[in-house]
Amino acid sequence: MHRACKLARRGEGFVEPNPMVGAVVAKSDGTVLGEGWHKRFGSPHAEVHALTMAGEAARDATLFVTLEPCCHTGKTPPCTDAILRAGLRRVVVAATDPFPAVAGKGISILQKAGLQVDVGLLEHEAKRLTAPFRMLTMAKRPWMIAKWAMTLDGYLALPHAGTNSSGEPKPNQWISSEVSRAIVHDLRRRVDAIVVGVQTALVDDPLLTARPSGTRPLVRVVLDRQARLPVDSRLVQTAQEHPLLVAVGPDAATDKIKQLQDMGCEIWHSSTDQSSQMLIELVKEFGVRQMTNVLVEGGARVLESCFQADIIDEVWAFLAPKLLDADQPSLRLREILSKTFVEAIDQTGGDLFVRGLRRRELLCR
């Protein structure tokens, strides 16, 4: 099952809104006969790949799978049919599938057909793997990841000294290391959307793209209650090639909205100007759009509003070995980080990379 979990990770960024799933077919003595993972949305599931590799040797063998096999026809036939045709003796399932069309029915079908089915092996690991899928299925909203880089004394930005010829901050203006930034770009590659506040867009003039880009379209989202985003910004200028959604409040000027729309921006209208409620509405909209993972990059005010609205599930924080000793550190984010259920701490190019969950109960769903 450890191997199946490891295989499942290979589908990250390719299978959403489906879950990442891995499968291994083995003999009773542990000999591996076949293995596979869900490789791409709409393609055969992990069980099918593993059974195909095993072939006739799968008869009377055991299937280890990280998620309950599906029993309905979607973009692919039911995996329970393939399992029954293979003549397996036993199926070991890490976690049940919360999707209503499955939700225990796949296990029941296999048991009624006479197979031994054991459930719960490495359940915690399997639920962590499928946490975004479970969130979208059960709460109708995406898995929300908050990312920031800050100095040891709590600052998220260094004094701004302009950009280079490519429009990026000058090298000494980055808080985090090059290694840390590469990790963030890899995260961007696999999420559905990236969210920033309009102040970040005005000050940094970012592109908010993944470099290199992934296989999934990345929607760039700017929280801009008054529609202040300039039409000559790099975000707006690239709206035709990279989707840009501008979230505006009820008092945003009609002429400014039209200018943004004429440049190819999509406008999403909130019913409120209140930050937390606006964010809650927007996250519901993400769920309607079947977004599975959404990254919030800030700045500090937006991040703190997200935590206040209680919409953040996972934290990625990069702590740089720098002291700024300026006027307004983000003490709130330091407090939030201290209350995060830490899953991993790594060194990335001199930074400390802290990754964790906001609530332990997220893995009990």
Side-chain angles (χ1 to χ4, degrees), residues 305-319:
S305 293
C306 286
F307 285 109
Q308 184 179 356
D310 197 27
I311 60 171
I312 297 300
D313 305 302
E314 186 174 349
V315 167
W316 287 39
F318 297 88
L319 309 181

Side-chain angles (χ1 to χ4, degrees), residues 234-254:
R234 296 203 298 164
L235 285 166
V236 176
Q237 289 295 313
T238 56
Q240 300 283 359
E241 49 187 313
H242 302 291
L244 178 63
L245 186 150
V246 182
V248 303
D251 298 327
T254 304

